[in-house]
Short mmCIF file of all heavy atoms in Angstrom, two decimals:
data_model
loop_
_atom_site.label_atom_id
_atom_site.label_comp_id
_atom_site.label_asym_id
_atom_site.label_seq_id
_atom_site.Cartn_x
_atom_site.Cartn_y
_atom_site.Cartn_z
N ILE A 265 54.19 21.23 15.77
CA ILE A 265 53.91 19.82 15.51
C ILE A 265 52.57 19.75 14.78
O ILE A 265 51.57 20.36 15.25
CB ILE A 265 53.81 19.00 16.84
CG1 ILE A 265 55.12 19.14 17.57
CG2 ILE A 265 53.45 17.61 16.56
CD1 ILE A 265 55.04 18.71 19.03
N PRO A 266 52.40 19.05 13.74
CA PRO A 266 51.12 18.87 13.09
C PRO A 266 50.11 18.32 14.06
O PRO A 266 50.43 17.39 14.83
CB PRO A 266 51.38 17.89 11.96
CG PRO A 266 52.84 17.92 11.72
CD PRO A 266 53.50 18.27 13.06
N GLU A 267 48.88 18.83 13.93
CA GLU A 267 47.88 18.41 14.95
C GLU A 267 47.17 17.15 14.47
O GLU A 267 45.96 17.14 14.10
CB GLU A 267 46.86 19.53 15.16
CG GLU A 267 47.52 20.70 15.83
CD GLU A 267 46.49 21.84 16.04
OE1 GLU A 267 45.93 22.31 15.08
OE2 GLU A 267 46.22 22.20 17.24
N TYR A 268 47.87 16.04 14.50
CA TYR A 268 47.31 14.78 14.04
C TYR A 268 46.11 14.39 14.83
O TYR A 268 45.12 13.87 14.28
CB TYR A 268 48.37 13.66 14.10
CG TYR A 268 49.38 13.82 12.97
CD1 TYR A 268 50.72 13.92 13.28
CD2 TYR A 268 48.98 13.77 11.64
CE1 TYR A 268 51.67 13.97 12.19
CE2 TYR A 268 49.83 13.85 10.62
CZ TYR A 268 51.23 13.99 10.92
OH TYR A 268 52.12 14.09 9.90
N GLY A 269 46.13 14.52 16.12
CA GLY A 269 45.00 14.12 16.92
C GLY A 269 43.72 14.80 16.50
O GLY A 269 42.69 14.15 16.35
N LYS A 270 43.86 16.08 16.22
CA LYS A 270 42.69 16.82 15.77
C LYS A 270 42.19 16.37 14.43
O LYS A 270 40.99 16.20 14.17
CB LYS A 270 43.11 18.31 15.70
CG LYS A 270 41.98 19.24 15.45
CD LYS A 270 42.52 20.60 15.51
CE LYS A 270 41.60 21.60 14.79
NZ LYS A 270 42.09 22.89 14.67
N ALA A 271 43.14 16.12 13.55
CA ALA A 271 42.77 15.68 12.21
C ALA A 271 42.11 14.33 12.19
O ALA A 271 41.08 14.06 11.53
CB ALA A 271 44.04 15.62 11.26
N LEU A 272 42.63 13.45 13.04
CA LEU A 272 42.03 12.06 13.20
C LEU A 272 40.61 12.19 13.80
O LEU A 272 39.65 11.52 13.35
CB LEU A 272 42.92 11.22 14.01
CG LEU A 272 44.20 10.80 13.39
CD1 LEU A 272 45.11 10.00 14.38
CD2 LEU A 272 44.00 10.00 12.12
N ALA A 273 40.48 13.09 14.76
CA ALA A 273 39.14 13.29 15.38
C ALA A 273 38.20 13.77 14.29
O ALA A 273 37.05 13.25 14.19
CB ALA A 273 39.26 14.31 16.49
N LEU A 274 38.64 14.66 13.47
CA LEU A 274 37.76 15.20 12.35
C LEU A 274 37.35 14.05 11.43
O LEU A 274 36.22 13.99 10.97
CB LEU A 274 38.56 16.30 11.57
CG LEU A 274 38.33 17.72 12.01
CD1 LEU A 274 39.09 18.62 11.10
CD2 LEU A 274 36.84 18.09 12.01
N SER A 275 38.33 13.21 11.10
CA SER A 275 38.01 12.18 10.15
C SER A 275 36.95 11.21 10.73
O SER A 275 36.13 10.67 10.01
CB SER A 275 39.28 11.41 9.70
OG SER A 275 39.83 10.77 10.81
N LEU A 276 37.06 11.03 12.07
CA LEU A 276 35.99 10.13 12.72
C LEU A 276 34.66 10.83 12.56
O LEU A 276 33.60 10.22 12.27
CB LEU A 276 36.35 9.92 14.12
CG LEU A 276 37.37 8.82 14.36
CD1 LEU A 276 37.67 8.69 15.87
CD2 LEU A 276 36.94 7.48 13.79
N ILE A 277 34.61 12.12 12.86
CA ILE A 277 33.34 12.90 12.75
C ILE A 277 32.86 12.83 11.38
O ILE A 277 31.58 12.72 11.14
CB ILE A 277 33.57 14.37 13.17
CG1 ILE A 277 33.89 14.39 14.72
CG2 ILE A 277 32.39 15.23 12.91
CD1 ILE A 277 34.50 15.74 15.17
N ALA A 278 33.71 12.86 10.39
CA ALA A 278 33.30 12.86 9.02
C ALA A 278 32.60 11.54 8.65
O ALA A 278 31.80 11.55 7.70
CB ALA A 278 34.44 13.08 8.06
N MET A 279 32.90 10.50 9.45
CA MET A 279 32.26 9.26 9.09
C MET A 279 30.84 9.12 9.66
O MET A 279 30.00 8.31 9.21
CB MET A 279 33.05 8.09 9.74
CG MET A 279 34.31 7.73 9.01
SD MET A 279 35.07 6.39 9.94
CE MET A 279 36.79 6.77 9.65
N ILE A 280 30.52 9.89 10.70
CA ILE A 280 29.29 9.65 11.40
C ILE A 280 28.04 9.94 10.56
O ILE A 280 27.17 9.07 10.50
CB ILE A 280 29.26 10.48 12.72
CG1 ILE A 280 30.33 9.93 13.61
CG2 ILE A 280 27.95 10.37 13.40
CD1 ILE A 280 30.61 10.79 14.84
N PRO A 281 27.90 11.09 9.89
CA PRO A 281 26.63 11.32 9.21
C PRO A 281 26.24 10.28 8.18
O PRO A 281 25.09 9.83 8.21
CB PRO A 281 26.84 12.73 8.61
CG PRO A 281 27.85 13.39 9.44
CD PRO A 281 28.74 12.21 9.80
N PRO A 282 27.16 9.88 7.32
CA PRO A 282 26.70 8.83 6.36
C PRO A 282 26.27 7.56 7.01
O PRO A 282 25.23 6.94 6.63
CB PRO A 282 27.96 8.59 5.50
CG PRO A 282 28.81 9.80 5.71
CD PRO A 282 28.48 10.30 7.06
#
Side-chain angles (χ1 to χ4, degrees):
Chain A
I265 301 165
E267 294 180 301
Y268 283 123
K270 188 176 159 187
L272 292 175
L274 268 183
S275 62
L276 282 177
I277 291 165
M279 284 179 212
I280 294 170

